[in-house]
Amino acid sequence: MGPVISLRDAVSLAGRFPLLAGVTLDVAEGEVVHLRGPNGAGKSSLLRLCAGLVPIASGTAFVLGHDLRADRQSVRREVGLLGHASFLYDDLSVERNVRFAVRAARADLRGVDEALDRLGLGGRLRSTLVGSLSAGQRRRAALAVVVARRARRWLLDEPHAGLDAMGRTAVDELVRAASASGTTVVLASHELDRAGRLADRVVAVAGGRVVAAAEPSAPGVTAGPATPGAEGDDARQIAPSGEAEEDGRDVA
Amino acid sequence: MWRDALLVAGKDLRIEARSKVGLGQVVPFALVVVLLFGLALGPAAGRGSVLSLAAPGLYWVAVLLATVLAVQRSFAIEALDGASDGLKLSGLDPAGIFVGKAAAVCGQLLALEVVLAGAVALLYDRHLAGGLLLVASCLAATVGLVSVGTIYGVVSSGSRQRETLLPLLFFPMVAPILLAATKAWDAALAGTPGRGTGWLDVLAVFAVAYLAMGTVAFGPLLEDA
């Protein structure tokens, strides 16, 4: 079976500003990949590209067999994206928000209760307006949408951000359970240890490009190419801290 | 498409029922506009007064202004916390999103028009004759207005100048609807509905044309927003 995500020299622009400067990356079915890199490295843009939200200017990008150059809409229903924004409506309750997303995705509504319970959003919080939630609760509600839609590919942007210890543990358990059931997960996180423990592979992003990839259990190793086709400048070293060498150029 | 339209319309109406922006702001705004016209042109002193003669036009100008607010509100809820990205990611048919958002605004505007009609009858001293033509022209004009409004609502939603851009784009496009609706109402209120049926046809044509245009164009416009 081919990779779920296959990017070759993918470039994305916001106007004339580069979001991604030639990303080459493969993600296999069922794999958990941790994207790491400094702020502005392009991690969020990479996830948004894979979700079909960001257009590709050059290179190739296939997600779940969909050519993102030709059609970005088809892939959207098949992925669950947790972004910096919650994508929720303040004037709807948590449950109404999740039910709307599940119905829109034509998923099974029976997944709503389970998702809310797993994220600790049962009881009183279920009927609370999203606008009244704390930042952490809002984050959990956004994650509940991803879980309830039962997408088989998750794109999680800083999933631990703003969560308390219990919430962070819940996220870890969700990712592990998803991975065990064969869900492909790509997560961008500055929580190097925590995210590294969840991942099958660590990919370092800097300057809008993938600069290194390695097994998370091999700190300090010299990483091979990020993908079979990536060579030369794309193959750098992941330091023991997990941070790759950067080329010093920030990209959104 | 219809399933998605119902889903989006239900969501928008539920948000409106919760936030009560339409009831608390758009309706009072439109009533104040009608009242201000009355102060500027009144007082209404019988059938021949300026206010009484201008009542159909003033009514539709008030509806137009309220439409801008209702459409802005409809897209403001999508601008909060990345909700528009959520809408794109939802997998909903863009044509369904367009019809759903337009239907939700349409429902709110029709309710507003009933209230405004009562205000016009009371303040401008006009008897609401020709009921069938009044209702039919309201329906056709409102569909046209919200279709144009929803098209330009999504265009302007991606702009930082969205508050001023929407009226700038919207008003010129709906000038024919304003003209036809005013003429239809004028004929109805004058007790000569036969004179207004031609204008009703014009409204129907615009309604169908703008609705069709929106279902086709909304997807690409949403992508660019």
Side-chain angles (χ1 to χ4, degrees):
Chain A
M1 182 184 289
V4 173
I5 297 171
S6 177
L7 311 177
R8 292 286 177 278
D9 301 318
V11 173
S12 280
L13 304 171
R16 293 163 59 188
F17 188 75
L19 299 170
L20 298 171
V23 170
T24 296
L25 176 70
D26 281 339
V27 178
E29 178 85 57
E31 195 176 16
V32 179
V33 173
H34 173 204
L35 300 180
R36 56 177 60 170
N39 291 330
K43 304 184 296 297
S44 299
S45 297
L46 179 50
L47 292 176
R48 288 170 64 81
L49 173 78
C50 294
L53 282 178
V54 173
I56 178 168
S58 69
T60 61
F62 288 87
V63 177
L64 298 163
H66 300 289
D67 182 354
L68 298 187
R69 293 201 68 152
D71 174 20
R72 289 188 286 129
Q73 283 83 36
S74 299
V75 76
R76 292 175 182 166
R77 194 177 293 180
E78 300 180 51
V79 302
L81 173 68
L82 178 75
H84 286 296
S86 71
F87 309 143
L88 300 173
Y89 296 99
D90 280 2
D91 288 311
L92 290 182
S93 69
V94 171
E95 182 182 5
R96 288 284 183 195
N97 265 292
V98 177
R99 289 176 80 86
F100 173 73
V102 168
R103 278 195 172 138
R106 291 171 169 74
D108 190 343
L109 279 171
R110 283 175 295 186
V112 173
D113 290 342
E114 185 190 339
L116 292 176
D117 289 340
R118 288 175 76 180
L119 270 303
L121 294 166
R124 184 181 56 81
L125 285 176
R126 184 188 188 96
S127 55
T128 302
L129 293 183
V130 164
S132 306
L133 297 179
S134 70
Q137 289 167 338
R138 182 185 281 260
R139 194 78 179 148
R140 279 192 275 152
L143 198 51
V145 169
V146 175
V147 174
R149 286 181 61 181
R150 299 198 171 169
R152 300 283 292 164
R153 288 89 196 169
W154 290 6
L155 306 167
L156 310 179
D157 198 353
E158 298 294 348
H160 301 100
L163 296 179
D164 57 20
M166 197 180 295
R168 291 146 86 93
T169 304
V171 168
D172 291 352
E173 288 169 359
L174 277 173
V175 172
R176 285 198 186 94
S179 172
S181 66
T183 300
T184 307
V185 182
V186 182
L187 63 120
S189 178
H190 292 297
E191 303 264 351
L192 303 183
D193 291 339
R194 188 178 279 271
R197 282 197 296 273
L198 295 170
D200 301 319
R201 186 159 59 105
V202 177
V203 170
V205 181
R209 306 174 71 194
V210 170
V211 293
E215 298 284 330
S217 58
V221 299
T222 301
T227 67
E231 297 174 354
D233 289 345
D234 279 353
R236 306 251 178 107
Q237 188 171 24
I238 292 185
S241 65
E243 290 288 7
E245 290 179 336
E246 298 166 26
D247 63 6
R249 187 163 58 93
D250 275 2
V251 177
Chain B
M1 181 188 86
W2 297 111
R3 174 197 172 277
D4 291 352
L6 275 175
L7 193 60
V8 172
K11 182 262 294 176
D12 278 12
L13 289 174
R14 193 167 277 122
I15 288 173
E16 174 49 34
R18 179 75 69 172
S19 65
K20 296 184 175 57
V21 169
L23 197 64
Q25 293 178 19
V26 180
V27 173
F29 168 79
L31 286 173
V32 166
V33 169
V34 167
L35 186 64
L36 289 176
F37 282 144
L39 291 174
L41 302 174
R47 292 292 157 86
S49 69
V50 173
L51 193 56
S52 180
L53 291 173
L58 299 180
Y59 172 84
W60 281 106
V61 168
V63 171
L64 242 62
L65 295 172
T67 304
V68 171
L69 292 190
V71 169
Q72 275 179 337
R73 168 64 185 164
S74 175
F75 284 94
I77 60 177
E78 306 297 347
L80 292 171
D81 209 7
S84 62
D85 276 347
L87 212 51
K88 290 177 196 170
L89 286 166
S90 67
L92 289 166
D93 180 356
I97 298 173
F98 168 76
V99 173
K101 292 199 81 65
V105 176
C106 196
Q108 295 171 54
L109 278 183
L110 287 172
L112 168 79
E113 286 165 15
V114 171
V115 175
L116 278 189
V120 164
L122 190 69
L123 296 172
Y124 299 175
D125 193 22
R126 288 300 299 255
H127 173 61
L128 298 178
L132 195 60
L133 180 60
L134 290 185
V135 171
S137 55
C138 269
L139 285 171
T142 306
V143 170
L145 289 176
V146 296
S147 297
V148 178
T150 307
I151 292 169
Y152 286 115
V154 73
V155 170
S156 59
S157 66
S159 164
R160 288 179 184 158
Q161 297 89 27
R162 62 177 74 93
E163 290 84 3
T164 46
L165 185 60
L166 176 61
L168 204 60
L169 297 170
F170 176 73
F171 287 135
M173 289 300 290
V174 296
I177 297 176
L178 173 68
L179 175 69
T182 300
K183 293 291 186 186
W185 264 55
D186 197 31
L189 295 183
T192 54
R195 228 171 15 96
T197 51
W199 292 108
L200 180 60
D201 292 342
V202 172
L203 287 173
V205 168
F206 272 106
V208 171
Y210 285 137
L211 197 58
M213 194 187 302
T215 55
V216 174
F218 192 81
L221 295 174
L222 181 64
E223 289 300 316
D224 290 340

